[in-house]
Amino acid sequence: MASAIQKIALNASRDIPFNKLVLSQSNVRRVKAGLSIEELAADIERRGLLQSLNVRPILDAAGVETGTYEVPAGGRRFRALELLVKQKKLAKTAPVPCVVREAGSAILAEDDSLAENVQRVALHPLDQFRAFRDMLEKGMSEEEIAAAFFVVPTVVKQRLRLMTVSDKLLEIYEQDGMKLDQLMAFSISDDHTRQEQVWEIVSQSHNREPYLIRRMLTEKTVRASDRRVRFVGLDAYLAAGGHVMRDLFEADDGGWLQDPTLLDRLVMEKLQAAAEQVRAEGWKWIETALSFPWGHTRHFAEIDGVPVVLSEEEAACLTALHSERQTIEAEYAQADEFPEDVDIRLGEIEQAIEALEERPVSFDPVDMQRAGVFVSLDTDGTLLVERGFVLPEDMPVEPEDGHHESEGYDDGIVHCSDGDGGGTNGAPDIEPEEEDGSKPLSDRLLTELTAWRTLALRDAFAGNPHIALTEFLHTLVRDIYWQVSGADCLEAYVREISLPVHSPDMPGSLPAHALRQRNEGWKHDLPEDEDALWRWIDGLDDTSRLALLVHCLSFGINALHESSHGPSLARSVRERLARADRLATALALDLAEAGWQPTVENYLGRVAKAHILEAVREARGSEAAERIAHLKKGDMAQAAERLLEGTGWLPQALRTKGLSAQMKTDEVPDYSADGPAAVAAE
């Protein structure tokens, strides 16, 4: 006969006046820091006590109950009630729900205290998210929910944002198939289909890092920091019906705009409106574009403008600003740094001085009737208006006495020629899809790569007067001792070398920007006629003279690859490139630091598969190269672009001999564990 199962008896519960309770010394929670007693007291005040205290009778020396009870389990709740009594929000004799353990129980008080804290199971985050959502749907605001649980509203917004993730992914997270930081990364997008596609890809890879998920979800969007967004304004984009993806869990620099087509339309509309305002000034023609090819003004003459003279009021304001700046600098001359408010004021003064000193230019109305303007978007997101350019057919006929009208001052940095065009003119040489060999790079690609190198070399050259002067003197000594010179008093000259072929990314590069800024600075300071120019140069200090010298010399730097026909020309190109290599080594030129990085457009889509795999192998190792070896040419180039990003890898044509580090693989995430699906998706 089976024995009956013995039934357990639960401890009795009863209400005990608070003044009959004392905190037990057997309570295992001893560390009081961070227990948030005040918050718990406020919560009890709002909603009442949700959980009883666990108590035991206190016995006297004879073993008789004294009528008071110790609290071994529920110490935080006891302290919160005690605080409410001190605040006179709770009566001393208020009944407190308690579960009473019988006197003399075999279960130790420490046992109960430990069990209450250890046996509890923390709420799954997903249950918290759903609870917040239910409370919101039942009428509570985000601020009310935050106040009820003593968190800032941002925390509630974050939790509620996680509920926008696909139900399929929430279920995977609930079953511990996904980490919380991965789920947070998916919340950046509202597109459930795309979320599930990305998870399908990354789940087959060892690399499931949140940054990769975010990057894949935002690959077809535009960053809010993009120059087009700064130009149009985020408010205008939103007002036009555009949507922005925001990341509530990471700094997102303003988010991502989901409608690039709408953004581009708004940019062009604003550019067109600005162009119409410029047209009203009286110019013959206006050309508008998001950006123009590099060197687009080369074959234009440039009419001279006259800076607008400061008004008396502006001159007085400028004098006052200079005086205020000098006073502040004198007052804090001995201080290590300026106070924050003073530093802000100095910044405002500098901006005001710059605005007054950079004078607008006025043009002769007669000249304007044959000249035009280029209106585009500058690299910093501001409007770029280039005035005063004359088409060749609008140039005046030269007088027979030999006097020529000034052809203006070209930007003198990088130009397009009449040959095979600039970075966007002419079809680039694309390797065929099935090209698997490792044949040499095409002449055009080498020319584009070395145009980039030449531009960066010019910038580095112009920033190092010592090496620039050494190179200049070397050139002069060669001309004097090894070649036949002319009869002029000084045959040294600089012939500006145009860059007839370049990649589309070069105009916005760091060296291009630096050269353009440097050129505009000198152009602004130059006097108007030749006699004044000589006197002006003669009056410069040695530092300024050297800076101007190397700036002018930099226009003659030529590190271009050129296809050669005949041994004489081939030898000339080899000698020139050898000298360029020596100069690059002396300047420690690093094209990766200068901003060049391999993309599908400027390199990877232009070379054979063997070159792509070799690049990945050098930068990421053989395993990474093997994972993309099976891909088609286009997919391989895109995957390689992602893998090479930030590594500092350079093609042989862009490397500098003797430079200690051509790649910076220690500064980028390790992709060595990525699966092929993830790499291909990138």
Side-chain angles (χ1 to χ4, degrees):
M1 179 176 179
S3 59
I5 299 176
Q6 185 175 1
K7 302 296 190 294
I8 64 172
L10 300 179
N11 295 320
S13 61
R14 53 182 289 198
D15 290 342
I16 300 175
F18 179 76
N19 60 353
K20 297 296 183 180
L21 301 175
V22 295
L23 187 61
S24 174
Q25 296 302 309
S26 300
N27 192 300
V28 298
R29 190 188 290 274
R30 303 293 173 83
V31 180
K32 304 300 189 294
L35 296 184
S36 306
I37 300 301
E38 293 79 6
E39 291 183 359
L40 180 57
D43 188 72
I44 293 174
E45 180 184 359
R46 174 177 175 267
R47 72 176 86 248
L49 194 64
L50 296 179
Q51 186 177 354
S52 301
L53 304 183
N54 183 284
V55 302
R56 292 173 179 238
I58 297 178
L59 307 180
D60 60 16
V64 179
E65 295 186 8
T66 62
T68 58
Y69 298 82
E70 64 175 347
V71 184
R76 286 187 66 231
R77 298 188 295 280
F78 175 82
R79 289 183 178 277
L81 293 170
E82 185 178 46
L83 178 61
L84 291 171
V85 170
K86 289 180 180 179
Q87 295 173 343
K88 300 189 182 303
K89 295 179 179 179
L90 181 70
K92 292 182 180 181
T93 58
V96 179
C98 298
V99 174
V100 183
R101 171 80 71 179
E102 71 278 4
S105 172
I107 305 297
L108 297 176
E110 290 84 355
D111 193 345
D112 282 346
S113 178
L114 183 62
E116 184 185 63
N117 289 283
V118 173
Q119 295 293 342
R120 74 174 70 186
V121 177
L123 188 68
H124 192 281
L126 193 57
D127 290 329
Q128 183 193 36
F129 310 156
R130 288 168 173 161
F132 280 172
R133 180 189 60 186
D134 293 343
M135 294 166 70
L136 188 70
E137 291 176 350
K138 291 180 179 180
M140 290 185 69
S141 68
E142 294 175 350
E143 290 72 17
E144 289 172 336
I145 297 173
F149 292 94
F150 305 99
V151 295
V152 295
T154 301
V155 173
V156 178
K157 292 179 185 293
Q158 289 176 338
R159 300 296 185 267
L160 292 172
R161 180 66 183 175
L162 291 172
M163 300 311 301
T164 64
V165 178
S166 159
D167 288 337
K168 177 180 178 180
L169 299 187
L170 290 176
E171 183 178 349
I172 293 173
Y173 170 65
E174 184 176 357
Q175 297 172 359
D176 297 327
M178 181 189 303
K179 296 180 180 178
L180 179 58
D181 57 356
Q182 294 169 328
L183 186 72
M184 290 160 57
F186 279 108
S187 72
I188 197 173
S189 171
D190 294 328
D191 188 341
H192 289 182
T193 301
R194 180 56 181 160
Q195 290 174 357
E196 293 170 8
Q197 289 173 346
V198 170
W199 176 250
E200 182 68 23
I201 294 170
V202 300
S203 63
Q204 300 176 24
S205 167
H206 294 294
N207 184 5
R208 305 181 185 183
E209 293 298 322
Y211 79 87
L212 178 61
I213 295 171
R214 287 186 175 92
R215 188 169 67 186
M216 294 176 68
L217 288 171
T218 59
E219 61 186 356
K220 295 182 180 180
T221 61
V222 177
R223 291 300 299 257
S225 57
D226 187 272
R227 61 174 182 149
R228 292 169 291 174
V229 183
R230 295 200 299 270
F231 178 65
V232 171
L234 189 59
D235 290 341
Y237 169 80
L238 294 173
H243 298 282
V244 178
M245 296 166 55
R246 297 302 306 266
D247 190 344
L248 296 182
F249 301 95
E250 298 282 345
D252 61 6
D253 199 18
W256 295 264
L257 280 67
Q258 294 181 267
D259 195 340
T261 302
L262 171 62
L263 176 63
D264 287 338
R265 177 173 64 81
L266 294 174
V267 170
M268 290 310 301
E269 288 176 354
K270 189 170 181 178
L271 283 175
Q272 291 289 354
E276 290 304 313
Q277 293 180 356
V278 175
R279 187 188 303 276
E281 297 174 6
W283 300 99
K284 180 178 181 180
W285 52 267
I286 304 287
E287 284 198 25
T288 306
L290 186 62
S291 61
F292 290 100
W294 191 249
H296 62 285
T297 62
R298 175 172 176 74
H299 299 296
F300 289 80
E302 189 174 354
I303 63 174
D304 294 325
V306 179
V308 177
V309 179
L310 284 169
S311 66
E312 292 183 3
E313 181 180 351
E314 289 174 328
C317 180
L318 184 60
T319 301
L321 289 169
H322 279 293
S323 177
E324 183 180 357
R325 181 176 63 181
Q326 292 172 358
T327 301
I328 293 175
E329 291 174 346
E331 181 179 353
Y332 293 95
Q334 304 302 320
D336 294 333
E337 60 182 16
F338 295 110
E340 183 178 357
D341 57 336
V342 174
D343 191 50
I344 293 174
R345 177 54 186 162
L346 278 175
E348 295 171 348
I349 292 173
E350 291 292 344
Q351 291 180 358
I353 290 176
E354 183 179 352
L356 288 170
E357 289 184 341
E358 291 187 0
R359 305 304 300 155
V361 178
S362 63
F363 295 88
D364 188 326
V366 176
D367 289 337
M368 294 172 65
Q369 291 177 6
R370 59 187 175 88
V373 182
F374 294 99
V375 178
S376 61
L377 188 58
D378 209 347
T379 54
D380 62 354
T382 58
L383 184 69
L384 178 61
V385 180
E386 301 171 284
R387 294 178 172 87
F389 294 95
V390 183
L391 291 163
E393 57 267 29
D394 292 333
M395 290 288 293
V397 178
E398 296 179 353
E400 295 182 0
D401 60 3
H403 294 288
H404 303 282
E405 181 175 298
S406 170
E407 294 183 357
Y409 193 95
D410 189 37
D411 58 13
I413 301 173
V414 182
H415 301 290
C416 298
S417 71
D418 291 329
D420 50 2
T424 56
N425 296 333
D429 48 322
I430 305 298
E431 289 293 329
E433 169 68 28
E434 299 302 324
E435 176 60 70
D436 292 326
S438 57
K439 72 176 189 178
L441 305 186
S442 68
D443 286 336
R444 181 186 177 94
L445 178 55
L446 279 173
T447 302
E448 287 190 11
L449 293 174
T450 51
W452 231 106
R453 188 183 191 218
T454 299
L455 188 72
L457 193 56
R458 288 179 180 179
D459 181 39
F461 181 91
N464 194 317
H466 177 78
I467 292 176
L469 188 56
T470 302
E471 180 70 14
F472 184 40
L473 290 173
H474 178 268
T475 301
L476 293 180
V477 171
R478 282 186 44 148
D479 289 344
I480 292 171
Y481 290 100
W482 299 341
Q483 296 184 16
V484 178
S485 61
D488 292 336
C489 62
L490 179 62
E491 274 292 316
Y493 70 96
V494 177
R495 179 174 64 87
E496 181 185 340
I497 307 299
S498 65
L499 304 181
V501 178
H502 63 79
S503 56
D505 63 328
M506 196 174 75
S509 65
L510 294 175
H513 178 73
L515 284 166
R516 187 186 299 111
Q517 292 294 102
R518 188 182 294 114
N519 193 63
E520 288 299 319
W522 283 115
K523 180 179 176 182
H524 179 270
D525 293 341
L526 290 177
E528 296 180 359
D529 58 75
E530 185 176 347
D531 290 338
L533 174 63
W534 199 97
R535 292 193 299 272
W536 178 76
I537 293 175
D538 187 52
L540 292 175
D541 59 68
D542 288 344
T543 301
S544 298
R545 288 158 66 89
L546 271 179
L548 177 58
L549 171 63
V550 298
H551 171 65
C552 294
L553 289 177
S554 69
F555 293 157
I557 293 295
N558 186 355
L560 285 171
H561 163 84
E562 292 178 319
S563 56
S564 55
H565 301 283
S568 177
L569 181 56
R571 182 171 59 254
S572 175
V573 172
R574 284 198 303 271
E575 290 177 356
R576 180 213 307 155
L577 294 179
R579 291 183 65 184
D581 287 341
R582 182 186 61 228
L583 189 57
T585 299
L587 291 166
L589 179 68
D590 187 342
L591 266 293
E593 291 291 339
W596 191 92
Q597 60 180 1
T599 65
V600 173
E601 190 173 27
N602 71 9
Y603 182 79
L604 298 168
R606 314 274 297 283
V607 298
K609 283 185 174 182
H611 289 296
I612 300 176
L613 294 175
E614 181 63 23
V616 174
R617 188 175 295 109
E618 289 183 358
R620 293 295 192 186
S622 298
E623 184 180 350
E626 290 172 2
R627 288 199 307 273
I628 66 172
H630 68 285
L631 299 176
K632 292 183 178 180
K633 170 70 178 297
D635 295 336
M636 180 187 291
Q638 292 179 0
E641 178 178 329
R642 296 291 191 186
L643 288 170
L644 295 174
E645 182 180 358
T647 64
W649 180 88
L650 298 172
Q652 191 64 41
L654 298 186
R655 298 181 186 180
T656 297
K657 294 186 175 99
L659 200 63
S660 59
Q662 291 288 348
M663 290 178 287
K664 300 181 261 315
T665 54
D666 58 328
E667 299 178 3
V668 295
D670 181 9
Y671 287 75
S672 59
D674 294 356
V679 175
E682 290 184 4

